[in-house]
Amino acid sequence: GGRTGRDKMAAGGAADAQARFGHSVKGLLTEKVTSCGTDVIALTKQVLKGSRSAELLGQAARNMVMQEDAILHSEDSLRKMAIITTHLQYQ
């Protein structure tokens, strides 16, 4: 009779230990999932920032080309004005 009580306690202790183990595993999994979620969010932000910076670089390049065209046009206009000035001085 006495052994069955002890066996029940041992079984109860084992079940208790198993429950504690299950809780700790759940806790670790939750921690890992949260950590992975945070990493995914950080990665997504980095990728978006990268694509945004590529977009900004493209825009800057287009602006530079436009400015270069404007500078060349201004240079051409100055050359023509210099020619006109020279002609006016001769007259």
Side-chain angles (χ1 to χ4, degrees):
R3 277 187 59 170
T4 52
R6 213 176 296 140
D7 287 344
K8 280 182 184 172
M9 279 181 63
D16 195 36
Q18 198 172 1
R20 278 199 309 273
F21 178 73
H23 279 299
S24 70
V25 167
K26 279 182 190 171
L28 284 171
L29 277 174
T30 303
E31 217 174 278
K32 284 288 179 190
V33 167
T34 304
S35 171
C36 281
T38 305
D39 289 349
V40 166
I41 289 169
L43 178 65
T44 305
K45 283 181 180 174
Q46 201 61 41
V47 167
L48 288 172
K49 193 187 287 181
S51 68
R52 180 78 183 121
S53 65
E55 190 181 313
L56 288 172
L57 277 172
Q59 199 173 350
R62 285 191 296 276
N63 287 344
M64 280 181 68
V65 168
M66 284 169 54
Q67 284 180 344
E68 191 180 15
D69 282 349
I71 289 169
L72 289 173
H73 182 72
S74 299
E75 197 178 19
D76 194 41
S77 296
L78 281 170
R79 204 175 293 118
K80 285 176 185 170
M81 288 190 335
I83 291 168
I84 292 169
T85 308
T86 307
H87 280 301
L88 286 173
Q89 283 173 348
Y90 283 131
Q91 293 176 356

